[in-house]
Amino acid sequence: VQLVESGGGLVQAGGSLRLSCATSGFDFDDYAIAWIRQAPGKEREWVSCIFSRSIKPSHAASVMGRFSTYRDRAKKTVSLQMNNLRPEDTGVYYCAADTRGICDAYAWRISNYGYWGQGTQVTVSS
């Protein structure tokens, strides 16, 4: 199982970035994919989750209305479109796979995710 993030960078507050997670080594329809971030000195925080049978992805309250998550089955990628970025969005963003294959009420639990990418840095300046 391999997950590789890309698309991070430095952006001013109010700007946008689009992160991508390329996956391989597993059946893309079997796993749920989440975006999880970690700010300096803080614990990892679940951001969003998407899976094969979802009508729409789930997002944390802190990013709802600003972030959107997309899934491309043909390319086996998951993207995170981040708009109206704030300095508090700064951190390392990881994509991670949940072998349960669903995004349910417990999707926020970091322990659900057994496979992780290396992360990509997002820095939002004020």
Side-chain angles (χ1 to χ4, degrees):
V1 176
Q2 191 171 18
L3 303 106
V4 180
E5 304 94 337
S6 61
L10 172 64
V11 64
Q12 288 187 332
S16 299
L17 280 175
R18 188 178 181 97
L19 306 183
S20 183
C21 174
T23 72
S24 61
F26 62 96
D27 190 327
F28 190 63
D29 287 338
D30 285 349
Y31 292 1
I33 303 296
W35 286 98
I36 295 165
R37 67 186 181 185
Q38 187 167 24
K42 295 188 177 181
E43 294 186 350
R44 291 183 177 182
E45 174 192 19
W46 173 81
V47 173
S48 73
C49 183
I50 191 167
F51 68 110
S52 62
R53 298 178 301 281
S54 63
I55 297 175
K56 60 178 183 179
S58 304
H59 293 89
S62 59
V63 305
M64 204 169 296
R66 300 187 298 122
F67 291 13
S68 299
T69 303
Y70 302 96
R71 183 176 178 275
D72 188 324
R73 186 169 184 265
K75 296 181 179 179
K76 298 185 178 181
T77 60
V78 174
S79 300
L80 181 68
Q81 177 66 43
M82 306 185 293
N83 298 327
N84 192 19
L85 282 160
R86 304 168 180 170
E88 54 263 39
D89 295 318
T90 293
V92 178
Y93 283 69
Y94 301 90
C95 62
D98 182 351
T99 59
R100 299 179 308 144
I102 58 173
C103 303
D104 58 10
Y106 303 100
W108 57 270
R109 290 180 174 174
I110 304 302
S111 60
N112 286 337
Y113 301 95
Y115 301 100
W116 293 74
Q118 82 287 350
T120 186
Q121 176 70 44
V122 171
T123 303
V124 184
S125 63
S126 57

